């Protein structure tokens, strides 16, 4: 006789309060494979925990975003936001699809060059650009988005001493109805600072003003702020055109599109509420098309959205280390991946799925990571199937910001693989070893034991 | 229409001291002389009284909270529909309306009718959007700002955007008057823990609260509207007793708003009448309120009209209601059997 | 270890504790164990029966068995020791 699958015994107290947190319990559909490759096989080969990227999903999402904008606007360009995910393999998928590079440091700039991106297809953003980095960017004819007056004067100086005119745009910050407004980057629209900066550039003979850039915030759940941002940039561009007879080549609306993750403390899940690319595209392009650009000549529209393009394509697979009961009787499940690998768990309620079929029984559990640190909490409480030691799990939508913000803290960073469109798996970042870290350290002779 | 039996699924069965609208809506429907009804209760919790009130609810199914996602809700509705062949669904919680608006087309294809506002109508009346809403539709509203952290309330005070006292309100429910930052801090935490973010900070308008329940046909016509003043408000902010008013200005207000928004479905307007006799709109609830039975008793069976509209019937607008009709809310200890509690809690059906 | 005498346990896995008024639900394995406990079976017999029916070895079962007993104790469904 075949034996039945064992589920650990559990007893649940029926809630007496009203309304309680959970209502009718819902099923957590298991995720057993990614693009046809079983999670089990992946972890047997590459270990646990393991980051997995789907090349198919990246390309699919990118095409979807492109279609949303290109079907509404004649001239659209995406620039891949390196800080969202600068694993070279990931960047190169975007570059193959036609995305330029958008970088915010000298290090990211170098990474883009090494990835083979041509200098004139790199957008250099951010408040931190050294004189040397700016000089290199000018030589490479990269697009430099100026963040502050100090940088503007550096560029004027570089322009004076060079035979190449720096190609620049300014970053503009503004009130788009979002509270609080991000006013620390770029030049302010409402108080006229942005217009002053544009004046200064127009009066500098050796700078070539090509565009305007803004980035209104992060995880913007509505499309209205983008309409406001697009109309303010359009107004500046049209103002330049009438005052200096200068036609800008592009408007860069930045990023900030939400992915389908659910922010902590928000009632509805992100899968139900995040605007689609269509929604964002509609808001932005409708404003630009209606703006009064001279001769109806619409500027190139650049987008730097990162999160919404990559979040869905990244998975974190792992294994349950243990389950235990807390002092108050609540279940706690300890996972082998914690906040060290999943920086985003500080702001998302991550979607954790069992990686094998489970029964409908659930119990309230907290999910902790492996760190011996009280902050290492992935989910505070969830009604969840009865996981046991050794059970596999998958956390969905982890492609953005985790492989750039992960910490080498207490444990080492694990392997990262990518599944290509044919279903072949490739190691794209090797797991760290003790040697990886030790080779950067040195112990003075008198401290050797 | 006569001799027609409709199967109507209804939520909001928490008929407790701070009641949901479910049972009052059912009372209206049960009194219809135009159709008979089989009432399917949609419950979230084992202790909601509705499922045990068999004279009002014929059969109850537990459903997942909309915070679990629309697909989860849909899956459950499909299951219920298979067994019950539902004709109409009336969601009664603010937190459900969004999910059911999104599902309305799919439900319609399955043969299940709803009578809900459009997504645009629903979104534009959010507490945080009130200032814009007031501008668009030409009504007076208090300054309102959605905040996601307590520090932003401090900023609002510092920037002199909204001063004290102010109202701290949840995305769906709950409202507290805060006299100072300390109180605002307590209420912010209480509300955000329960209803999530954002929390809405609203200018406090001094005056008397008055309410209107109404039904819009979606083309700008008001099918019915009854104004009421709460005679006493419990510590939970709910009406203990209320009385219908003879107040043309409130009816005009409601008709103007329904015509300007082309509101579709039930609606409750929360208004403040200031000492200078001006009406400020502090909130729009996109559904019928728990006190809707007062309107039924006063001569406007709005729940019945809503079902008729949902099922594609023409409904003539109500022209009158009884003035000075009162309600007094009372609680009542219903005696239940443990086996029924067991059924609902273990099988999710009763 | 004995269960409280007056617990009402139904076939659906619903448990009612008349002395506190609390009610609980069990999953299938939890229900089987609690029924055996009520019949006064000792842990050895329970382990033997469960490992025979289910795909689980005695060591693993023991771990989850005691975890389950811990939950019963926490919920005060266990009779105070008689001796």
């Amino acid at each position: 006789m075949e034996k039945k699958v064992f589920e650990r015994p559990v007893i649940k107290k029926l809630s007496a309060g009203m309304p309680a947190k959970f209502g009718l319990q819902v099923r957590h559909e298991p995720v057993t494979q990614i693009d046809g490759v079983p999670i089990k096989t992946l972890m047997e080969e590459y270990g646990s925990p393991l980051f997995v990227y789907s090349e198919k999903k990246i390309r699919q999402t990118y095409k979807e975003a492109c279609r949303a904008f290109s079907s509404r606007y004649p001239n659209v360009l995406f620039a891949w936001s390196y800080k969202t995910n600068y694993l070279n393999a990931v960047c190169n998928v975007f570059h193959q699809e036609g995305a330029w590079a958008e970088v915010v440091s000298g290090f990211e700039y170098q990474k883009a060059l090494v990835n083979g991106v041509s200098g004139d297809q790199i957008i250099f953003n951010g408040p931190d650009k050294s004189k040397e980095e700016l000089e290199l960017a000018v030589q490479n004819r990269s697009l430099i988005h100026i963040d502050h007056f100090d940088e503007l004067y550096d560029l004027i100086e570089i322009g004076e001493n060079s035979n190449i005119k720096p190609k620049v745009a300014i970053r503009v910050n503004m009130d788009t109805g979002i509270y609080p407004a991000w006013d620390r980057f770029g030049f302010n629209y409402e108080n006229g600072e942005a217009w002053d900066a544009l004046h200064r550039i127009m009066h500098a003979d050796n700078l070539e003003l090509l565009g305007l850039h803004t980035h209104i915030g992060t995880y913007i759940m509505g499309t209205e702020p983008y309409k406001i941002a697009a109309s303010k940039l359009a107004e500046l561009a049209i103002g330049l055109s009438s005052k200096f007879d200068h036609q800008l080549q592009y408007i860069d609306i930045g990023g900030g599109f939400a992915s389908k993750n659910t922010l902590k403390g928000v009632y509805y899940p992100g899968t139900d509420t995040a605007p689609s690319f269509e929604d964002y595209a509609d808001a932005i392009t409708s404003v630009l098309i209606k703006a009064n650009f001279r001769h109806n000549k619409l500027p190139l529209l650049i987008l730097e959205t990162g999160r919404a393009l990559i979040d869905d394509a990244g998975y974190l697979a792992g294994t349950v280390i243990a389950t235990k009961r807390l002092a108050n009787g609540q279940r706690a499940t300890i996972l082998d991946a914690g906040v060290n690998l999943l920086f985003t768990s500080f702001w998302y309620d991550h979607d954790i799925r069992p990686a094998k079929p489970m029964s409908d029984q659930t119990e309230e559990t907290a999910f902790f990571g492996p760190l011996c640190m009280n902050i290492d909490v992935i989910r505070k409480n969830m009604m969840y199937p009865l996981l046991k030691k050794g059970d596999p799990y998958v956390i969905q939508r982890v492609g953005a910001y985790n492989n750039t913000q992960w910490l080498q803290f207490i444990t080492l960073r694990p392997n990262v693989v990518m599944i290509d469109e044919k279903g072949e798996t490739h190691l794209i970042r090797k797991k760290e070893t003790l040697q990886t870290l030790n080779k950067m350290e040195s112990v003075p002779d008198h401290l050797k034991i | 229409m006569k001799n027609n039996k409709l199967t109507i699924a209804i939520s909001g069965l928490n008929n407790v001291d701070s009641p949901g609208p479910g049972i009052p809506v059912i009372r209206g429907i049960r009194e219809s002389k135009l159709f008979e009804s089989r009432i399917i209760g949609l419950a979230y919790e084992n202790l909601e009284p509705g499922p045990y009130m068999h004279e009002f609810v014929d059969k109850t199914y537990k459903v997942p909270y909309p915070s679990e996602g629309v697909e989860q809700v849909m899956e459950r509705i499909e299951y219920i529909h298979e067994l019950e062949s539902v004709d109409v669904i009336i969601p009664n919680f603010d937190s459900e309306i969004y999910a059911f608006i999104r599902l309305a087309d799919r439900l319609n294809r399955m043969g299940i009718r709803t009578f809900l506002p459009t997504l645009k109508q629903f979104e534009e009346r959010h507490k945080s959007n009130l200032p814009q809403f007031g501008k668009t539709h030409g009504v007076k509203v208090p300054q309102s700002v959605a905040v996601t952290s307590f520090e932003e309330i401090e900023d609002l005070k510092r920037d002199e955007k909204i001063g004290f006292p102010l109202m701290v309100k949840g995305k769906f429910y709950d409202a507290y008057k805060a006299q100072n930052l300390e109180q605002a801090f307590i209420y912010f935490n209480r509300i955000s823990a329960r209803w999530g973010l954002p929390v809405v900070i609203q200018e406090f308008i001094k005056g008397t609260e008055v309410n209107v329940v109404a039904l819009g046909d979606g083309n700008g016509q008001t099918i019915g509207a009854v104004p009421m003043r709460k005679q006493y408000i419990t510590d939970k902010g709910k009406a203990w007793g209320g009385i219908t008013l003879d107040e043309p200005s409130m009816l005009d207000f409601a008709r103007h708003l329904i015509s300007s928004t082309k509101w579709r479905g039930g609606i409750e307007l929360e208004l403040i009448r200031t000492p200078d006799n001006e009406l400020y709109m502090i909130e729009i609830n996109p559904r019928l309120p728990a006190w809707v039975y007062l309107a039924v008793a006063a001569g406007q069976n709005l729940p019945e009209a809503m079902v008729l509209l949902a099922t594609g019937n023409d409904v003539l607008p109500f022209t009158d209601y009884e003035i000075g009709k009162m309600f007094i809310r009372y609680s009542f200890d219903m005696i239940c059997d443990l086996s029924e509690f067991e059924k609902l809690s273990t099988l999710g059906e009763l | 270890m004995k269960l409280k005498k007056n617990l009402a346990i139904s076939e659906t896995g619903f448990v009612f504790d008349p002395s506190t008024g609390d009610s609980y639900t069990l999953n299938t394995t939890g229900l089987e164990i609690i029924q055996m406990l009520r019949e006064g079976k000792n842990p050895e017999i329970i382990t033997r029966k469960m490992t025979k029916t289910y795909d689980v070895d005695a060591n693993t079962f023991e771990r989850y068995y005691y975890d389950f007993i811990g939950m019963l104790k926490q919920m005060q469904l266990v009779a105070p020791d008689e001796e």
Side-chain angles (χ1 to χ4, degrees), chain B residues 178-204:
Chain B
Q179 298 288 357
N180 49 45
L181 270 180
E182 287 68 37
Q183 285 182 3
F185 180 70
I186 294 168
Y187 297 141
F188 176 85
N189 287 332
R190 191 179 293 173
I191 289 174
S192 59
R194 179 129 191 230
W195 296 111
L197 297 170
V199 166
V200 177
I201 302 301
Q202 197 173 75
E203 178 191 359
F204 176 74

Coordinates of all heavy atoms in Angstrom, one line a residue, chain B residues 178-204:
Chain B
A178 N -8.1 65.1 15.8 CA -6.9 65.3 16.5 C -6.7 66.8 16.9 O -6.7 67.6 16.0 CB -5.7 64.8 15.8
Q179 N -6.4 67.0 18.2 CA -6.3 68.4 18.6 C -4.8 68.9 18.5 O -4.5 70.1 18.5 CB -6.7 68.6 20.1 CG -8.2 68.3 20.3 CD -9.1 69.3 19.8 OE1 -8.7 70.3 19.3 NE2 -10.4 69.1 19.9
N180 N -3.9 67.9 18.5 CA -2.5 68.3 18.5 C -1.7 67.1 17.8 O -2.3 66.1 17.5 CB -2.0 68.5 19.9 CG -2.4 67.4 20.8 OD1 -2.2 66.2 20.5 ND2 -2.9 67.7 22.0
L181 N -0.4 67.3 17.7 CA 0.5 66.4 17.0 C 0.5 65.0 17.7 O 0.5 64.0 17.1 CB 1.9 66.9 16.9 CG 2.2 67.7 15.7 CD1 3.7 68.1 15.7 CD2 2.0 66.8 14.4
E182 N 0.4 65.1 19.1 CA 0.5 63.8 19.9 C -0.7 62.9 19.5 O -0.6 61.7 19.3 CB 0.5 64.1 21.4 CG 1.8 64.6 21.9 CD 2.1 66.1 21.4 OE1 1.2 66.9 21.3 OE2 3.3 66.4 21.1
Q183 N -1.9 63.6 19.5 CA -3.1 62.8 19.2 C -3.0 62.3 17.7 O -3.4 61.2 17.4 CB -4.3 63.7 19.4 CG -4.7 63.9 20.8 CD -6.0 64.7 21.0 OE1 -6.6 65.0 20.0 NE2 -6.3 64.9 22.3
A184 N -2.6 63.2 16.8 CA -2.5 62.8 15.4 C -1.6 61.6 15.3 O -1.9 60.7 14.5 CB -1.9 64.0 14.6
F185 N -0.5 61.6 16.0 CA 0.4 60.4 16.0 C -0.3 59.1 16.4 O -0.2 58.1 15.7 CB 1.6 60.7 17.0 CG 2.6 59.6 17.0 CD1 3.5 59.4 15.9 CD2 2.8 58.8 18.1 CE1 4.4 58.4 16.0 CE2 3.7 57.8 18.2 CZ 4.5 57.6 17.1
I186 N -1.0 59.2 17.5 CA -1.8 58.0 17.9 C -2.8 57.5 16.9 O -2.8 56.4 16.5 CB -2.5 58.3 19.3 CG1 -1.5 58.6 20.4 CG2 -3.4 57.2 19.6 CD1 -2.1 59.2 21.6
Y187 N -3.5 58.5 16.3 CA -4.5 58.1 15.3 C -3.9 57.6 14.0 O -4.4 56.7 13.4 CB -5.5 59.3 15.1 CG -6.3 59.7 16.3 CD1 -6.5 61.1 16.6 CD2 -6.7 58.8 17.2 CE1 -7.2 61.4 17.7 CE2 -7.4 59.1 18.3 CZ -7.7 60.5 18.6 OH -8.3 60.8 19.7
F188 N -2.8 58.3 13.6 CA -2.1 57.9 12.4 C -1.8 56.4 12.5 O -2.0 55.6 11.6 CB -0.9 58.7 12.2 CG -0.1 58.3 11.0 CD1 -0.4 58.7 9.7 CD2 0.9 57.4 11.1 CE1 0.3 58.2 8.6 CE2 1.6 56.9 10.0 CZ 1.3 57.4 8.7
N189 N -1.2 56.0 13.7 CA -0.7 54.7 13.9 C -1.9 53.7 13.9 O -1.9 52.6 13.3 CB 0.1 54.5 15.1 CG 1.5 55.1 14.9 OD1 2.0 55.2 13.8 ND2 2.1 55.6 16.0
R190 N -2.9 54.1 14.6 CA -4.1 53.2 14.8 C -4.7 52.9 13.4 O -5.0 51.8 13.0 CB -5.1 53.9 15.7 CG -6.2 53.0 16.1 CD -7.2 53.7 17.0 NE -6.6 54.1 18.3 CZ -7.3 54.8 19.2 NH1 -8.5 55.3 18.9 NH2 -6.7 55.1 20.3
I191 N -4.9 54.0 12.6 CA -5.6 53.8 11.3 C -4.7 53.1 10.3 O -5.1 52.2 9.6 CB -6.0 55.2 10.8 CG1 -7.2 55.7 11.6 CG2 -6.4 55.1 9.3 CD1 -7.6 57.1 11.3
S192 N -3.4 53.5 10.3 CA -2.5 52.8 9.3 C -2.4 51.3 9.6 O -2.2 50.5 8.7 CB -1.2 53.5 9.2 OG -0.5 53.5 10.4
A193 N -2.4 51.0 10.9 CA -2.3 49.6 11.2 C -3.5 48.8 10.7 O -3.4 47.7 10.3 CB -2.1 49.4 12.7
R194 N -4.6 49.5 10.7 CA -5.9 48.7 10.3 C -6.2 48.8 8.8 O -6.5 47.8 8.2 CB -7.0 49.3 11.1 CG -8.3 48.7 10.8 CD -9.0 48.3 12.1 NE -10.2 47.5 11.7 CZ -11.4 47.6 12.1 NH1 -11.6 48.6 13.0 NH2 -12.4 46.9 11.8
W195 N -6.0 50.0 8.3 CA -6.5 50.2 6.9 C -5.3 50.5 5.9 O -5.6 50.7 4.8 CB -7.5 51.3 6.8 CG -8.7 50.9 7.6 CD1 -9.2 51.5 8.7 CD2 -9.6 49.9 7.2 NE1 -10.3 50.8 9.1 CE2 -10.6 49.8 8.2 CE3 -9.7 49.0 6.2 CZ2 -11.6 48.9 8.2 CZ3 -10.7 48.1 6.2 CH2 -11.7 48.0 7.2
G196 N -4.1 50.4 6.4 CA -3.0 50.6 5.5 C -2.8 52.1 5.2 O -3.5 53.0 5.7
L197 N -2.0 52.3 4.2 CA -1.6 53.7 3.8 C -2.2 54.0 2.4 O -2.5 53.0 1.7 CB -0.1 53.8 3.8 CG 0.6 53.6 5.1 CD1 2.1 53.5 5.0 CD2 0.2 54.7 6.1
P198 N -2.4 55.2 2.0 CA -2.2 56.4 2.8 C -3.3 56.6 3.9 O -4.3 56.0 3.8 CB -2.1 57.5 1.8 CG -3.1 57.0 0.7 CD -2.9 55.5 0.7
V199 N -2.9 57.5 4.8 CA -3.9 58.0 5.7 C -4.2 59.4 5.3 O -3.3 60.1 4.8 CB -3.3 58.0 7.2 CG1 -4.1 58.8 8.1 CG2 -3.1 56.6 7.7
V200 N -5.5 59.8 5.4 CA -5.8 61.1 4.9 C -6.0 62.1 6.0 O -6.6 61.9 7.1 CB -7.2 61.1 4.1 CG1 -7.6 62.4 3.6 CG2 -7.0 60.1 2.9
I201 N -5.3 63.3 5.8 CA -5.4 64.4 6.8 C -6.3 65.4 6.2 O -6.1 65.9 5.1 CB -4.0 65.0 7.1 CG1 -3.0 63.9 7.6 CG2 -4.1 66.1 8.1 CD1 -3.4 63.2 8.8
Q202 N -7.3 65.7 7.0 CA -8.4 66.6 6.5 C -8.6 67.8 7.4 O -8.6 67.7 8.6 CB -9.6 65.8 6.3 CG -10.7 66.5 5.4 CD -11.8 65.5 5.2 OE1 -12.7 65.3 6.0 NE2 -11.9 64.9 4.0
E203 N -8.8 68.9 6.8 CA -9.1 70.2 7.5 C -10.4 69.9 8.3 O -11.3 69.3 7.8 CB -9.3 71.3 6.5 CG -9.8 72.6 7.1 CD -10.2 73.5 5.9 OE1 -10.1 73.1 4.7 OE2 -10.6 74.7 6.3
F204 N -10.5 70.4 9.6 CA -11.7 70.2 10.4 C -12.7 71.3 10.1 O -12.3 72.5 10.2 CB -11.3 70.2 11.9 CG -12.5 70.1 12.7 CD1 -13.2 68.9 12.9 CD2 -13.0 71.2 13.4 CE1 -14.4 68.8 13.7 CE2 -14.1 71.1 14.2 CZ -14.8 69.9 14.4

